[in-house]
Amino acid sequence: MIQTEGLTFSYKNGDIMEFPDIDCKAGETHLILGPSGCGKTTLLHLMGGMMKPNKGKVNINNIDIVTLSGARRDKFRGQHIGLVFQQPHFVESLSVSENLKLAQRLAGQPVSESKVDEILEQLGVKNKKNKKPTELSAGEQQRVTIARAAINRPAVLLADEPTSALDDQNCRSVVELLEKMAKQNGSALVVVTHDHRLTDFFPNKTILHQI
């Protein structure tokens, strides 16, 4: 589960962002919707421990990651948080399978070929395991991104604009796959986006407004 409380953040220009509290339990989904510039990505980075708030708490499985040192927070993220971004960030010299194994190693998990094969099969891209990421379509790359984020069965899945570059068919497919992975792993799924096509997929929503 993930729960935020009283989060604020200020950039160097002095503008202070105040964010509504988020509460997403294990196996639940939550959509954070808003236009560009409203702080969606900042909020996701705070929730993922990639940035530190001025004030507030980010509780994941009852641990406030804001209180962790930088190194401990990075380790915690690798073990407990899966990240899906709009633009996939692969090691392009590695195959799909090797990218997933790298995610296992970085999280301190044993490398498991069978787990790699299993999750790629579930996401319909097992036949691409030996391909380089650049050889995949946009929809296939996003499926592999989800596989990499979910392979270590994280407590929280955070997705930043996962569908905005996809057509309607792939948009629906990616949302369904994210929900499938979250339910299967008992992960809390939080998606931040300006893509209004996602509105009907998520019963739990938070709307952010232009700052």
Side-chain angles (χ1 to χ4, degrees), residues 60-194:
I60 296 177
N61 285 355
N62 298 314
I63 295 175
D64 182 6
I65 66 172
V66 174
T67 65
L68 301 178
S69 67
R72 289 181 63 202
R73 193 164 60 248
D74 289 343
K75 183 177 180 180
F76 185 93
R77 183 189 313 113
Q79 294 175 335
H80 301 284
I81 302 173
L83 297 165
V84 178
F85 296 105
Q86 178 182 358
Q87 298 296 329
H89 299 281
F90 297 113
V91 179
E92 294 186 357
S93 61
L94 301 181
S95 68
V96 165
S97 176
E98 290 167 339
N99 269 279
L100 266 63
K101 291 175 184 176
L102 178 61
Q104 292 178 318
R105 283 195 292 270
L106 291 175
Q109 300 293 326
V111 173
S112 171
E113 184 85 32
S114 62
K115 284 186 178 180
V116 169
D117 286 347
E118 179 184 0
I119 198 165
L120 290 176
E121 178 74 31
Q122 290 174 333
L123 295 174
V125 284
K126 185 180 177 184
N127 63 330
K128 307 292 183 180
K129 64 176 289 186
N130 295 318
K131 298 285 189 181
K132 296 291 196 296
T134 53
E135 299 177 279
L136 307 181
S137 69
E140 290 167 344
Q141 287 186 0
Q142 201 62 307
R143 286 168 181 255
V144 174
T145 299
I146 294 170
R148 182 179 58 185
I151 193 167
N152 296 317
R153 297 183 178 274
V156 177
L157 273 173
L158 300 176
D160 186 12
E161 301 284 5
T163 61
S164 59
L166 302 177
D167 59 29
D168 288 350
Q169 181 177 350
N170 278 311
C171 172
R172 175 180 289 273
S173 177
V174 163
V175 170
E176 290 173 349
L177 291 171
L178 282 167
E179 291 179 326
K180 176 183 177 181
M181 289 293 100
K183 185 175 182 180
Q184 178 177 297
N185 295 332
S187 306
L189 169 63
V190 179
V191 176
V192 302
T193 188
H194 70 271

